Amino acid sequence: MSTKHEKEPLFSARNRKLISNPLGMENPITVQVLGICSALAVTAKLKPAFVMAVSVTVVTMFSNLIISAMRNSIPPRIRIIVQLVVIASLVIVVDQVLKAYVYDVSRQLSVFVGLIITNCILMGRLEAFAMSNKPWPSFLDGLGNGLGYGLILIILGFTRELFGSGAIWGYSIVPQALFDFGYKNNGFFILPPMALIIVGIIIWIQRSRNPELVED
Amino acid sequence: MYSNAYILRYAAIMVILVAAILSSAAMLLKPLQDRNEAVDKMQSILIAAGFENVNSSNAIEMFNDNVTQMIVIDQDGNLIDEYTDDAKENSMAFKLNLKEELYNKSLNKPYKLPLYIAERNDKHIYIIPLHGVGLWGALWGNIALKDDFITVVGVTFGHKSETPGLGAEIETPIFEDQFPGKVIFDETGKFTSIQVVKGGVASLPADLQKHKVDAISGGTITSNGVNDMLQNVLESYVTYFKSQE
């Protein structure tokens, strides 16, 4: 039966869309409004924002893959718990391996690894996509959503570090002459409320350019 | 439709499988993790004492070469253990659980404290390990003093889970570089510790500046934690320092 069915290429147009859509029209943060909490917490500097973006992308990809492979055996009544167990064990194993083999990286990540478990993008994508799709598209969906999340995180981290600390990736780039002239770093940018304001501005710009995103 | 029996079986098997995977991962990796933690502790001690080019591959060797003495003192400043052999990580001072000892201190029970003595440019440097609490979890670190027991050579801090970009900034050079040259006693010999204060140390009179460093903006509770940790640990060594002068 399946031999007659033509096999879909690995990167068909439909599969490519799974990666590109979450970057814009279906962005997890600005459109699906998932993962806001960590986007506020870890974006005071660019570097932790980048690390968090990479970690979340890796975990969404693999939890989507595993859940999708298990999807036909999971009893619907306990599916949320099953999903949670998969995410949590994946994160714990990754954390333990990092601590054992790349201790420096693990110190860099510090609290992020634990925070990944609480990111609603993970459960959101498992429920919305992986539970009803095949493993490979689910894997790509995880990749796309991780990248869409990462994109917003990096915009936030960049803006907040530039205006809040006058630096990018820890290197000061605002010239001393400007400070002598009376310029000051804006301390408000370091605090989480400013991240919320920037997310709001991004949503505003995105919706004013794409009227179909605007609800009545 | 799945039967209740299937759901129970499914849940039970999943839980047992996951438990087995996680506990075997934890057990297999534990020795490597402990090793990394010990190396990290040595690195942090060496960096506090001002040694350069310390990394995870040469830390053990440099530690054994440069840290000449590992001692343990009790609450009254009496020497109770001294270790000068090669494998420094086997010493009582290195293995002492500081968290437990400080807990005993808070209960007014007898306690023991470690002190590491390193030699750099023919001068003794005294390194004191620190332990305290921040906003979300434990803080730790090392503070190195010159052989006058007053002047700070350097510090290193670490934390379990402070907020990145805010409290976690205590382990960056921006914060740590404020400490060298500060003093923990005033002219009359009274213990002042190093205070972590809000509002700009630079605007204070010079005789106060040498006991204070700037706190982290947005990291008040972590900064207070560092302040209390320094106060609580350093004051326990005062009797010993006085007896050495």
Side-chain angles (χ1 to χ4, degrees):
Chain A
M1 185 185 101
S2 59
T3 45
K4 280 180 193 166
H5 189 81
E6 200 177 321
K7 209 166 182 292
E8 195 181 353
L10 280 185
F11 287 98
S12 63
R14 205 168 59 97
N15 281 347
R16 281 203 305 272
K17 260 209 145 64
L18 289 176
I19 302 180
S20 61
N21 265 353
L23 292 177
M25 295 298 287
E26 281 171 25
N27 190 284
I29 295 184
T30 63
V31 180
Q32 303 176 52
V33 201
L34 296 173
I36 294 279
C37 175
S38 59
L40 307 192
V42 303
T43 53
K45 296 269 161 69
L46 186 57
K47 197 169 169 185
F50 178 78
V51 170
M52 185 66 174
V54 173
S55 331
V56 167
T57 308
V58 172
V59 178
T60 19
M61 286 187 324
F62 287 99
S63 61
N64 263 11
L65 184 72
I66 294 172
I67 285 291
S68 174
M70 290 165 67
R71 73 186 187 285
N72 292 326
S73 74
I74 301 174
R77 272 192 276 170
I78 58 164
R79 65 182 195 286
I80 301 281
I81 295 179
V82 175
Q83 292 164 10
L84 203 60
V85 168
V86 168
I87 297 172
S89 1
L90 205 60
V91 169
I92 293 170
V93 169
V94 170
D95 186 33
Q96 297 285 325
V97 170
L98 290 179
K99 269 199 190 125
Y101 292 102
V102 273
Y103 193 75
D104 293 345
V105 177
S106 146
R107 272 198 52 172
Q108 284 279 325
L109 291 167
S110 63
V111 299
F112 296 110
V113 180
L115 274 177
I116 298 170
I117 305 179
T118 64
N119 197 313
C120 16
I121 292 176
L122 293 165
M123 296 272 293
R125 291 326 294 169
L126 293 178
E127 268 294 281
F129 199 91
M131 284 299 285
S132 49
N133 284 282
K134 289 195 174 141
W136 176 245
S138 301
F139 184 77
L140 294 179
D141 179 76
L143 173 65
N145 277 282
L147 292 177
Y149 169 79
L151 178 71
I152 302 294
L153 243 65
I154 285 167
I155 296 175
L156 287 175
F158 181 85
T159 322
R160 291 179 69 191
E161 189 173 358
L162 179 62
F163 292 106
S165 319
I168 294 297
W169 203 267
Y171 298 103
S172 299
I173 56 154
V174 175
Q176 189 56 40
L178 211 56
F179 286 110
D180 296 341
F181 208 63
Y183 174 82
K184 278 205 166 110
N185 286 327
N186 188 339
F188 189 42
F189 272 84
I190 298 181
L191 302 175
M194 196 61 213
L196 196 61
I197 295 173
I198 301 172
V199 171
I201 294 172
I202 297 173
I203 293 178
W204 180 23
I205 296 172
Q206 195 185 16
R207 296 203 174 191
S208 67
R209 293 169 60 108
N210 300 292
E212 65 265 44
L213 287 176
V214 181
E215 303 95 351
D216 294 321
Chain B
M1 197 56 207
Y2 295 94
S3 67
N4 284 345
Y6 176 84
I7 294 177
L8 283 176
R9 244 189 352 259
Y10 193 92
I13 292 173
M14 178 183 73
V15 168
I16 292 168
L17 254 173
V18 167
I21 294 171
L22 291 185
S23 41
S24 44
M27 270 166 51
L28 286 173
L29 298 172
K30 185 84 178 132
L32 283 166
Q33 292 169 354
D34 288 347
R35 190 89 217 113
N36 286 334
E37 262 160 42
V39 171
D40 187 65
K41 187 172 166 183
M42 291 179 189
Q43 252 179 290
S44 153
I45 291 169
L46 288 168
I47 294 170
F51 290 98
E52 282 165 4
N53 304 321
V54 188
N55 57 45
S56 47
S57 51
N58 66 11
I60 298 181
E61 197 185 325
M62 278 186 78
F63 192 82
N64 289 338
D65 286 353
N66 294 302
V67 179
T68 48
Q69 225 180 337
M70 314 270 286
I71 63 176
V72 178
I73 56 171
D74 69 5
Q75 65 280 0
D76 304 317
N78 302 316
L79 193 70
I80 47 179
D81 187 67
E82 192 174 356
Y83 190 96
T84 49
D85 282 356
D86 268 348
K88 296 291 188 307
E89 61 190 294
N90 296 328
S91 65
M92 179 177 171
F94 196 77
K95 288 181 182 162
L96 207 61
N97 184 341
L98 194 55
K99 186 181 169 188
E100 242 162 58
E101 300 301 332
L102 291 172
Y103 181 66
N104 286 342
K105 183 191 170 195
S106 71
L107 298 178
N108 287 321
K109 285 202 213 155
Y111 57 92
K112 300 188 274 287
L113 293 164
L115 181 65
Y116 314 129
I117 305 169
E119 229 167 89
R120 189 162 65 96
N121 305 336
D122 293 329
K123 292 242 173 182
H124 282 120
I125 295 173
Y126 295 80
I127 304 130
I128 298 164
L130 305 165
H131 196 278
V133 283
L135 174 58
W136 304 117
L139 300 178
W140 56 83
N142 294 286
I143 181 164
L145 300 175
K146 274 191 190 157
D147 51 9
D148 58 2
F149 298 111
I150 293 177
T151 321
V152 178
V153 174
V155 290
T156 45
F157 292 113
H159 62 90
K160 185 156 192 293
S161 47
E162 297 309 300
T163 320
L166 303 173
E169 296 287 290
I170 55 164
E171 59 176 1
T172 60
I174 303 168
F175 185 70
E176 290 174 348
D177 287 352
Q178 298 184 83
F179 286 82
K182 301 279 173 182
V183 292
I184 62 166
F185 288 94
D186 67 10
E187 282 80 11
T188 60
K190 201 171 135 270
F191 174 67
T192 57
S193 181
I194 309 270
Q195 288 134 17
V196 184
V197 293
K198 270 187 174 182
V201 168
S203 59
L204 293 169
D207 58 327
L208 289 179
Q209 278 189 25
K210 59 189 182 188
H211 306 302
K212 294 179 201 290
V213 295
D214 283 322
I216 306 268
S217 341
T220 305
I221 297 177
T222 312
S223 303
N224 290 347
V226 172
N227 183 61
D228 297 346
M229 169 168 81
L230 286 166
Q231 168 77 34
N232 181 34
V233 176
L234 290 177
E235 73 179 10
S236 326
Y237 288 86
V238 170
T239 353
Y240 176 77
F241 293 160
K242 297 270 183 200
S243 71
Q244 295 297 305
E245 275 162 10

